[in-house]
Amino acid sequence: MVAAAVAVITLAGCGNCGSSATAARRAEVEARGATIMPFDLQRTTHVFRSDATGGVQLVVAKDPHDEVQIALVRAHLRREARRFASGNFTDPMAIHGMTMPGIARLRLGFDRIDVTFATLRRGARIRYATTEAALVTALHDWFDAQLTDHGAHARG
């Protein structure tokens, strides 16, 4: 908890944190992520797929038989889906920065975004859907920032 608070304070001054991640930035994001995400980034992949109504975020184990990582991914994404549905985006903000692209609009419009969790064979997914164009754009911006920051650990 203290590490997450320090990360939030450290990143508070970070302007457009997700826009052009360097190797150093990605290492920082990975280190902060390890304090919040219980699964191993080396053994999993984040997937962010934007679509016309928002998009889908998945985290999957690279090894389909890695039951430990799969269970950790599912527990984490289940928790995050509940938090996002109530407007709580503090975990990704602690990892990526207080001013990450799209986050302010998502926090204000959370009640107009349908957030659903589902398990997958190798992990889990969160689906974000809205009919408001501004929130769709915010979701896309938020996904893009995370893709940039996670580098080799993510794909679109």
Side-chain angles (χ1 to χ4, degrees), residues 23-129:
R25 167 117 178 110
R26 286 186 177 138
E28 291 170 9
V29 166
E30 185 172 344
R32 285 189 299 273
T35 68
I36 293 171
M37 296 180 288
F39 49 85
D40 185 335
L41 286 177
Q42 302 299 327
R43 296 166 62 186
T44 58
T45 300
H46 281 74
V47 179
F48 298 94
R49 292 192 182 127
S50 296
D51 63 30
T53 63
V56 177
Q57 170 186 4
L58 307 114
V59 180
V60 293
K62 291 177 180 175
D63 176 354
H65 305 291
D66 191 339
E67 294 178 20
V68 170
Q69 294 305 308
I70 293 168
L72 291 169
V73 164
R74 288 175 177 167
H76 179 70
L77 287 190
R78 181 178 287 114
R79 175 181 176 265
E80 291 298 271
R82 283 193 304 265
R83 293 176 67 147
F84 298 159
S86 67
N88 183 340
F89 292 87
T90 56
D91 283 351
M93 291 168 65
I95 296 169
H96 301 278
M98 298 299 289
T99 60
M100 67 184 300
I103 203 72
R105 189 166 279 154
L106 294 176
R107 292 178 74 197
L108 290 173
F110 75 91
D111 57 341
R112 295 180 308 280
I113 303 169
D114 183 33
V115 179
T116 55
F117 168 85
T119 61
L120 303 172
R121 187 175 66 82
R122 291 178 19 212
R125 75 157 191 221
I126 302 174
R127 171 88 178 103
Y128 306 87

Side-chain angles (χ1 to χ4, degrees), residues 6-19:
V6 170
V8 169
I9 292 166
T10 302
L11 288 171
C14 180
N16 192 9
C17 292
S19 64

